[in-house]
Amino acid sequence: MKTELNYINLSYQTRSQKEYHIPLTYQIFGKDLFTAPIILINHALTGNSNVSGEKGWWKQLIGENQVIDTHKYTVLCFNIPGNGYDDFLIDEYEDFTPSEIAEIFLKGLEALHIKKLYAIIGGSLGGGIGWEMLAKQPKLAEIFIPIACDLRTHDWLHAQCLVQKFLLSGNDEPLQKARIHAMLCYRTPQSLNDRFQNRYHKDNQRLESEDWLVYHGNSLNERFSLGSYKLMNHLLMNINTEESQLENITARMHLIAVDTDLFFPASEIRMCFEKLKEKKKEVFYHEIQSIHGHDAFLMEYKQLNTIIKNIL
């Protein structure tokens, strides 16, 4: 299985007319390119191109004999430029939007001579970038599976990202504090209450739930840079797919929501589905049932495997 980090050197001009040299990195899992159907995976906010294998963040879905079987498919994943996984950072992160990341990914596919994908699968921010890609190249994929995301950032999510932006601009442990706030949006009150039940950690003299939040804040700070997190939060804040292009998308679309999602509420995704259904036949809606909220797409693997297996 090919897992090395590969590079494509690109020149890109943003809408603000700034020129960037982008070392777009990617990993390939499973079959060699052009020997099997190609599935593009777009990673989420703190994810990266390492989607399969021992340390793969989606290894419960992607791998040998998994629902996205690397014996059957070529699995490709780009790193969002500036996510830091490849040590490339973008200081002027507000120059970029999900639309521009989508254009960079399309340039990457062009550099690899890939004209057609079997599927695009993206969770959260990755799904939003998938929407943007297909709005630009409507015939790119046969199947599109956006998971726990919508084609735009709605007001509630924008507001949460704004709080993140304020926290990330502080001087005292900004990334840790932003991550603690984010965890409360990724999960639900029931998820935390059921898990911790007000248990008190006597050694630390605080609630176990507080221990858990501090752990996640420190853990992300150890593996993620402040600049990268600012960029990714900015991207999540600015998903805005051009709706007029959606009816041109030829892919069979399967929208997957989480019934308790606080970031991308299932009600919003159902509304998107209903609008698309008025103009397109090959549009379907699926819903994960979970107490865990947005993070269910990284937790409820039994449900997600069943849904994706029936799609692919």
Side-chain angles (χ1 to χ4, degrees):
M1 182 183 291
K2 293 184 177 179
T3 59
E4 65 267 20
L5 200 61
N6 301 287
Y7 288 77
I8 302 170
N9 293 313
L10 298 174
S11 293
Y12 183 76
Q13 186 179 71
T14 66
R15 286 173 178 75
S16 57
Q17 305 303 307
K18 291 184 180 179
E19 289 282 348
Y20 280 87
H21 169 68
I22 304 288
L24 179 64
T25 57
Y26 65 94
Q27 287 174 263
I28 292 176
F29 302 85
K31 295 289 187 178
D32 291 336
L33 276 177
F34 310 116
T35 65
I38 302 170
I39 296 179
L40 176 68
I41 304 293
N42 287 348
H43 69 76
L45 190 142
T46 59
N48 52 56
S49 61
N50 196 30
V51 295
S52 185
E54 183 180 349
K55 296 183 179 180
W57 60 268
W58 240 5
K59 62 184 179 182
Q60 292 90 342
L61 287 178
I62 304 167
E64 296 178 359
N65 302 315
Q66 299 282 29
V67 65
I68 303 174
D69 193 344
T70 48
H71 286 311
K72 183 178 180 182
Y73 300 111
T74 301
V75 177
L76 167 67
C77 185
F78 292 114
N79 283 297
I80 293 176
N83 75 344
Y85 185 66
D86 49 16
D87 298 323
F88 175 67
L89 301 174
I90 297 174
D91 292 330
E92 303 296 327
Y93 64 90
E94 291 188 352
D95 287 341
F96 291 84
T97 66
S99 176
E100 288 169 310
I101 299 300
E103 289 180 358
I104 291 169
F105 281 10
L106 292 171
K107 283 180 174 287
L109 293 176
E110 183 180 357
L112 293 173
H113 307 290
I114 298 172
K115 296 180 180 179
K116 189 76 174 181
L117 296 168
Y118 177 59
I120 298 175
I121 303 174
S124 191
L125 173 60
I129 293 169
W131 279 112
E132 299 271 15
M133 292 177 72
L134 287 173
K136 299 175 189 302
Q137 287 195 18
K139 298 180 180 180
L140 178 62
E142 294 181 36
I143 300 170
F144 177 42
I145 309 175
I147 305 170
C149 72
D150 203 353
L151 53 86
R152 67 166 47 87
T153 301
H154 293 283
D155 295 288
W156 169 261
L157 175 54
H158 189 277
Q160 300 308 315
C161 292
L162 183 62
V163 174
Q164 291 277 291
K165 185 175 181 179
F166 292 155
L167 291 169
L168 291 168
S169 299
N171 295 321
D172 183 19
E173 298 186 328
L175 200 152
Q176 292 96 318
K177 290 178 178 177
R179 187 61 170 176
I180 287 172
H181 168 258
M183 291 303 298
L184 298 178
C185 300
Y186 296 152
R187 302 295 176 90
T188 65
Q190 185 182 358
S191 179
L192 262 69
N193 291 341
D194 283 7
R195 176 170 179 172
F196 296 107
Q197 299 183 24
N198 279 97
R199 287 190 298 272
Y200 191 76
H201 199 296
K202 292 183 179 179
D203 291 341
N204 292 343
Q205 294 190 323
R206 62 189 182 192
L207 291 171
E208 288 184 12
S209 56
E210 185 176 344
D211 266 348
W212 180 79
L213 288 167
V214 170
Y215 165 79
H216 278 282
N218 290 335
S219 178
L220 189 74
N221 187 57
E222 290 171 3
R223 69 179 180 87
F224 222 79
S225 74
L226 179 60
S228 294
Y229 199 79
K230 285 181 176 180
L231 164 70
M232 304 303 280
N233 181 65
H234 172 75
L235 294 176
L236 186 61
M237 196 175 186
N238 288 283
I239 302 167
N240 190 24
T241 308
E242 181 60 55
E243 271 195 77
S244 63
Q245 302 300 317
L246 298 182
E247 61 186 274
N248 299 322
I249 296 174
T250 60
R252 175 161 48 93
M253 294 190 280
H254 290 265
L255 284 58
I256 303 177
V258 179
D259 64 339
T260 55
D261 196 335
L262 299 177
F263 259 18
F264 291 98
S267 58
E268 298 286 355
I269 297 175
R270 279 196 299 271
M271 286 175 59
C272 176
F273 162 73
E274 294 295 344
K275 285 183 181 179
L276 289 169
K277 195 66 178 174
E278 292 175 3
K279 298 180 179 180
K280 296 178 64 63
K281 292 182 179 180
E282 295 287 284
V283 184
F284 306 90
Y285 176 81
H286 312 267
E287 192 168 288
I288 295 170
Q289 309 294 315
S290 176
I291 68 167
H292 297 302
H294 184 68
D295 264 4
F297 85 95
L298 297 169
M299 301 171 71
E300 302 285 1
Y301 284 111
K302 185 175 181 180
Q303 292 184 63
L304 193 53
N305 271 282
T306 299
I307 293 168
I308 293 178
K309 182 178 180 180
N310 290 332
I311 296 170
L312 297 179

